[in-house]
Amino acid sequence: PDCLLLQILSYLGACDRLLKQGYEEGQVEEAMEMFQYSEKKAAEFLHLLAQFNDMGFQQNEIKEVLLLCGNQREKALEELVMK
């Protein structure tokens, strides 16, 4: 039980830090789930998602490409441009 509580607190702390960076709650929760609650990987994903979104790419395409490319910016950008 203590272990579960620590995991929950860790998750909430990570979500809070990501929300404070300006990401939307739904996106934060989705990213945390997609990357097995790794704050680092979720943060990379959210950062790249926002960047590519600003470039005019469609959000659903961005998510798909980032997952396929493992958050590798250059590879993902190449894939998005080719679509």
Side-chain angles (χ1 to χ4, degrees), residues 1-17 32 37 39:
D2 287 346
C3 187
L4 180 59
L5 182 58
L6 288 175
Q7 287 177 330
I8 292 169
L9 290 173
S10 174
Y11 170 79
L12 291 174
C15 287
D16 188 54
R17 286 186 289 277
M32 287 292 283
Y37 308 107
E39 181 179 357

Side-chain angles (χ1 to χ4, degrees), residues 29-78:
E29 289 172 359
E30 183 181 28
M32 287 292 283
E33 281 181 38
M34 286 190 317
F35 294 100
Q36 284 84 44
Y37 308 107
S38 165
E39 181 179 357
K40 183 178 186 261
K41 287 183 179 181
E44 287 171 358
F45 174 82
L46 291 166
H47 175 73
L48 291 170
L49 182 67
Q51 245 184 14
F52 292 145
N53 208 23
D54 288 346
M55 291 179 188
F57 295 107
Q58 297 296 313
Q59 200 162 29
N60 58 337
E61 285 183 0
I62 299 168
K63 286 179 184 180
E64 180 185 318
V65 167
L66 285 174
L67 283 172
L68 287 172
C69 296
N71 285 346
Q72 294 178 25
R73 187 188 187 285
E74 298 308 315
K75 195 173 176 183
L77 184 57
E78 216 173 88

